[in-house]
Amino acid sequence: MVDVKQNVSLKPYNTFGVEAIAHKFIDLTNETRLVDLFEQDLFAQKFYVIGGGSNILFTQDFSGTIIHLSNKGIQHFVEGNHVYVTAAAGEIWNDLVWYCVRHNFPGLENMALIPGTVGGSPVQNIGAYGAELMDIFYSCRAFDTKTGQFRTFHHVDCAFTYRDSIFKTKYKGRYIILSVTYKLSIHAPLNTKYGAIESELQKRGIAQPSIKDVAEVVSYIRVEKLPDPGTIGNAGSFFKNPIISNQQLNELRSTFPDIVYYPVSDTHSKLAAGWLIEQCGWKGKIVGQAGTWKHQALVIVNQGAATGREIYNLSTQIVEDVYKKFGVELEREVNIL
Ligand code: EPU
């Protein structure tokens, strides 16, 4: 029997720390229980699956069932020059990073301290400091809430792009990811090209960094720059960095020569949304109980007592201001419920 709780506060289950009540709530530690839930027709009604709650904003109470995934376990096996690491969806992402660091498996260290769980990692193709989940993803096992069947997705099935995958588009809300397998190249060179990593390693006098050195430096940079969700509610970057055509970029550059951008292809470039937001005067600005982080304007913070609606309204003001000034539409990276 699955333990279904009624009227549960979601405050401990979202890193924004906003209050919202789930009509029904299930803490799922064992995937076999999904079959019972399917047979009870639970997935025919409104439901939503959460892991670490680090990429979600509740703007109202949830009238359906929240399924909190908390299955655990990490295993690996080595084959030639590769290691396959499989982690249960409910594992904390950063615990997996340090599992790999301890075993000397490279590939996850640049993504140290990203909040959230393993299950969320392919959904939004998490990334940081020059690394992206899609670089190391091998497969994931998922439960199809439409058919009640289990299915394995390989890399080609997932349609990964920047902060996006098939689980956010075509299959949004359909599959529950239960475990993820990462394929790591045992002798892969470390990726320390990202400016902030390079300069911090230099400051520490480390010329030949280990996997652990990189994980430590990335963790240090994140702690310096990003607010700790344990103390100040937030969900990391609230918006995606917008991708625009080079033609639009050139027009913008003639008016805003300092605009921060990175080429992503021959025809398109990515703008630093943090820069756009800062130029609109929003960096560190607080309205009521919500605002943006003083060191990184792309992060919206809860000053303590913000409601989800208040945070959402603030994000709308930012979207409008950026559009008015630059003609660029910011897209929310955080899921709004
Ligand atoms: N910038 C500003 N003002 C700001 C913030 C940024 O001018 O307030 C400009 C600066 O020029 C800076 C540039 O934007 O050099 C890029 O900033 P940063 O290195 O902080 O990266 P980002 O593009 O803002 C992305 C990810 C982060 C990830 C960092 C580091 C997205 C949406 N965000 O941020 O991911 O940690 O790169 O790799 O792609 C997250 O997704 O939750 C997240 C924190």
Side-chain angles (χ1 to χ4, degrees):
M1 254 301 285
V2 175
D3 183 19
V4 183
K5 296 190 184 116
Q6 309 269 343
N7 299 326
V8 171
S9 165
L10 295 170
K11 198 166 177 173
Y13 297 99
N14 72 96
T15 60
F16 261 122
V18 297
E19 185 56 279
I21 302 293
H23 181 47
K24 289 184 193 166
F25 182 94
I26 295 170
D27 192 35
L28 200 84
T29 52
N30 183 339
E31 64 175 59
T32 54
R33 301 206 161 190
L34 286 168
V35 178
D36 300 337
L37 294 173
F38 182 80
E39 281 165 3
Q40 291 162 19
D41 265 351
L42 182 123
F43 300 113
Q45 297 143 39
K46 187 173 170 183
F47 72 95
Y48 193 83
V49 179
I50 58 170
S54 56
N55 203 37
I56 195 166
L57 177 64
F58 292 108
T59 58
Q60 54 190 322
D61 290 343
F62 190 76
S63 58
T65 306
I66 292 284
I67 300 170
H68 176 241
L69 261 187
S70 50
N71 57 339
K72 300 282 180 201
I74 306 178
Q75 291 118 35
H76 70 264
F77 77 91
V78 177
E79 193 182 74
N81 286 330
H82 291 101
V83 57
Y84 294 82
V85 183
T86 299
E91 286 285 347
I92 304 293
W93 169 260
N94 196 47
D95 292 348
L96 173 67
V97 172
W98 283 93
Y99 175 95
C100 292
V101 171
R102 275 198 308 280
H103 286 86
N104 227 18
F105 302 151
L108 282 73
E109 58 283 354
N110 293 40
M111 293 183 273
L113 223 56
I114 293 185
T117 52
V118 162
S121 66
V123 177
Q124 55 149 350
N125 183 21
I126 59 171
Y129 301 105
E132 246 182 333
L133 188 279
M134 62 185 278
D135 306 334
I136 53 165
F137 178 92
Y138 180 70
S139 67
C140 66
R141 216 172 98 76
F143 180 76
D144 185 347
T145 60
K146 270 223 164 94
T147 64
Q149 306 287 307
F150 292 89
R151 172 174 169 187
T152 297
F153 285 85
H154 286 93
H155 200 295
V156 289
D157 305 322
C158 297
F160 289 124
T161 54
Y162 166 65
R163 289 297 192 277
D164 211 354
S165 74
I166 201 154
F167 304 109
K168 274 181 91 173
T169 51
K170 182 173 168 192
Y171 290 148
K172 189 175 173 142
R174 174 163 170 181
Y175 286 92
I176 300 177
I177 295 174
L178 299 167
S179 66
V180 182
T181 300
Y182 306 88
K183 183 181 179 183
L184 310 176
S185 184
I186 291 174
H187 304 296
L190 297 179
N191 176 358
T192 56
K193 286 191 291 287
Y194 201 92
I197 299 184
E198 218 168 31
S199 57
E200 186 55 35
L201 284 169
Q202 220 168 15
K203 233 193 259 170
R204 296 179 182 207
I206 303 173
Q208 299 286 325
S210 63
I211 297 169
K212 185 164 175 257
D213 290 330
V214 176
E216 279 175 355
V217 160
V218 167
S219 305
Y220 170 81
I221 298 167
R222 286 189 76 98
V223 168
E224 284 286 289
K225 208 164 154 185
L226 299 168
D228 170 13
T231 328
I232 300 167
N234 77 89
S237 302
F238 197 90
F239 303 100
K240 291 184 188 184
N241 284 327
I243 294 174
I244 61 166
S245 71
N246 286 344
Q247 189 192 334
Q248 189 180 2
L249 174 68
N250 289 335
E251 286 160 16
L252 281 168
R253 283 181 69 196
S254 62
T255 323
F256 307 99
D258 296 335
I259 195 163
V260 181
Y261 67 96
Y262 318 91
V264 289
S265 70
D266 290 344
T267 54
H268 286 77
S269 296
K270 197 192 272 182
L271 300 179
W275 188 89
L276 300 174
I277 297 168
E278 182 174 347
Q279 296 304 306
C280 293
W282 274 106
K283 189 172 186 170
K285 187 167 161 182
I286 309 292
V287 181
Q289 284 292 314
T292 69
W293 184 233
K294 53 189 171 192
H295 304 307
Q296 169 46 293
L298 193 48
V299 177
I300 296 188
V301 293
N302 176 1
Q303 291 293 102
T307 62
R309 185 47 56 189
E310 205 175 344
I311 291 170
Y312 182 79
N313 290 345
L314 180 109
S315 75
T316 303
Q317 285 180 47
I318 293 174
V319 171
E320 284 172 7
D321 284 0
V322 168
Y323 189 76
K324 254 185 246 152
K325 192 170 171 92
F326 298 103
V328 173
E329 184 130 24
L330 290 182
E331 192 189 327
R332 292 174 180 84
E333 185 194 310
V334 168
N335 294 302
I336 310 294
L337 277 187

